[in-house]
Amino acid sequence: GADAAIFVHPDVQGRGVGTLLLRAALEVARREEEWSYLTGWVQADNLPILRLLRRAGFVFCSSFEAIRELRLSLLPAGETRVA
């Protein structure tokens, strides 16, 4: 597994930079055969990144105080893995 973060400088927010970075990260993640999903932890008030992740297919999993957890399956439709 791996940890990653996406940060976009305020001067270039809203210009598609976050979308490009997320697409690149998803391309890398999908090449990793051992990975079955990605998890994102986002501040609840960060609506732009929450929208971006939802558009990319992430689904809401849980919430803890001001943090939202979202997950994206990397498996083909209908496939499951047992740990």
Side-chain angles (χ1 to χ4, degrees):
D3 292 321
I6 295 176
F7 294 97
V8 177
H9 193 278
D11 290 349
V12 294
Q13 289 177 355
R15 297 183 187 174
V17 175
T19 300
L20 292 173
L21 291 170
L22 180 59
R23 283 183 187 156
L26 292 176
E27 286 178 23
V28 170
R30 288 188 171 112
R31 288 195 302 258
E32 296 298 326
E33 293 182 16
E34 308 85 38
W35 297 0
S36 58
Y37 63 88
L38 292 178
T39 303
W41 291 276
V42 181
Q43 291 180 321
D45 62 352
N46 190 340
L47 299 180
I49 192 66
L50 287 169
R51 282 192 295 270
L52 175 62
L53 293 177
R54 297 295 296 268
R55 281 195 314 264
F58 283 76
V59 294
F60 175 78
C61 290
S62 66
S63 175
F64 179 75
E65 295 183 8
I67 302 295
R68 302 294 178 261
E69 179 183 5
L70 296 95
R71 220 172 245 193
L72 174 70
S73 175
L74 297 173
L75 300 175
E79 183 179 327
T80 59
R81 290 193 189 151
V82 177

